Amino acid sequence: MNEITQILNFIVEVEKLKSVIRKTRPVGLRRYENSAEHSWHVCLSSLILKDYANDPVDINQVIKMLLIHDLGEIDADDKIIYSSETVENKLNEESGIRRIFAILPQGQADQYLSLWHEFEAGETPESKYARAIDRVPPLLHNLHDNGHSWKKHNIPKEKVFSLNRRRISEGSHQLWDAIEVRLIKAVKDGLLN
Amino acid sequence: MNEITQILNFIVEVEKLKSVIRKTRPVGLRRYENSAEHSWHVCLSSLILKDYANDPVDINQVIKMLLIHDLGEIDADDKIIYSSETVENKLNEESGIRRIFAILPQGQADQYLSLWHEFEAGETPESKYARAIDRVPPLLHNLHDNGHSWKKHNIPKEKVFSLNRRRISEGSHQLWDAIEVRLIKAVKDGLLN
């Protein structure tokens, strides 16, 4: 099979991310978000928020990471963040990501697998910032949707504050400050208990 | 209003791209695609196909262009490519894109408006390549969906060949060669008349 055919097969395979359903609803919509449109949203968000990263970041590396960060969900499905960070789920996602990248020519497969590992490890300035941005739209969804997903999944405010404080402030203190004000108001308004 | 608040407002506003419905269905799905998930798909496709661009391209510029290329549709709606290139529709999209970028801090607004104009003009190697990639997933959708959108909108094969030959081969001759073979087969198989 020639390489361009392999790549076109990959383009068709990753369509499946459009049917991976997440746990929050886009602002103004009654349906749940899918992981493909989420991926676009976080890529664009990372671009326009880049000046707020704690450390200087290579924004192109951040965007590439966010373009592929959820592809493992095609096989592993989306799990709510507050219970997704289990060894079993991470192994399922890794096995999924390996299967999908194996559709690509070898050199590309290795390169994107390494990018996915960088995101998951969250140790570089780029992956810390990317992981911070990944949290922003779902919080905005809850804030604009009467805390729908927090309430539906019984997520206590302590968990929402602790996970997001850690994740977002590792990438951007300024962004966490802006979000924290909104979360405090959400508690006061009864959206988050 | 501080700048981070302006940016968070923009992030919420562009959610609306998730409810702009396109004319083709993602492979394997019965629902139509929306412009947000399409934007993700073309960004990722541009990345993995970059070695096939006719001229060397700054892939980061290409991805940025594709992240924002459809935002004008939030106000103007999606139009099928075979009848979308009218002066009226382009003016509607431009007015939409100006309204949306005006939510951002001034410096960013100018920068992204200029990026959108670069995409629309299609004169730089980056915009030629981005515009070529933008055509690929909808063609793959039709090829995997029994020519659904071509048939539904009565698009004759001459139009499909001429528009896509021009658009795709301006960005990547090799990609057009790979797609053309599939379109010829689609005619033979009765998907495209």
Side-chain angles (χ1 to χ4, degrees), chain A residues 52-65:
Chain A
Y52 297 94
N54 290 341
D55 299 306
V57 292
D58 174 350
I59 188 62
N60 304 310
Q61 179 81 351
V62 171
I63 293 173
K64 284 172 196 163
M65 240 179 250

Side-chain angles (χ1 to χ4, degrees), chain A residues 3-5 7-12 14-15 17-19 25-27 29 31 33-34 36-41 43-45 47-52 59-60 63-64 66-68 71 104 108 111-112 136-137 140-141 144 172 174-175 178-179 182, chain B residues 3-5 7-12 14-15 17-19 25-27 29 31 33-34 36-41 43-45 47-52 59-60 63-64 66-68 71 104 108 111-112 136-137 140-141 144 172 174-175 178-179 182:
Chain A
E3 297 206 341
I4 211 162
T5 302
I7 295 174
L8 291 173
N9 288 347
F10 176 87
I11 290 174
V12 170
V14 300
E15 290 264 43
L17 199 63
K18 297 172 187 170
S19 53
R25 306 188 288 203
V27 175
L29 296 184
R31 67 164 177 85
E33 190 181 40
N34 70 61
E37 60 195 356
H38 160 74
S39 295
W40 163 76
H41 204 193
C43 286
L44 181 55
S45 300
L47 179 61
I48 57 176
L49 283 164
K50 69 181 160 51
D51 295 339
Y52 297 94
I59 188 62
N60 304 310
I63 293 173
K64 284 172 196 163
L66 287 169
L67 278 177
I68 58 112
L71 288 177
L104 287 172
Q108 286 198 312
Q111 183 188 339
Y112 294 120
V136 174
L140 294 174
H141 293 167
H144 283 81
S172 169
Q174 288 182 80
L175 186 54
I179 297 284
R182 293 170 190 227
Chain B
E3 295 205 343
I4 210 162
T5 302
I7 295 173
L8 291 173
N9 288 347
F10 177 87
I11 290 174
V12 170
V14 300
E15 290 264 42
L17 199 63
K18 297 172 187 171
S19 53
R25 305 187 289 203
V27 175
L29 296 184
R31 66 165 176 86
E33 190 182 40
N34 70 61
E37 60 196 355
H38 160 74
S39 295
W40 164 76
H41 205 193
C43 286
L44 181 54
S45 300
L47 179 62
I48 56 177
L49 283 165
K50 68 181 160 51
D51 295 339
Y52 297 93
I59 189 60
N60 304 311
I63 293 173
K64 285 172 194 164
L66 287 170
L67 278 177
I68 57 111
L71 287 177
L104 286 171
Q108 285 198 311
Q111 183 188 340
Y112 294 119
V136 174
L140 294 174
H141 293 167
H144 284 82
S172 169
Q174 289 182 81
L175 186 54
I179 296 285
R182 294 170 189 226

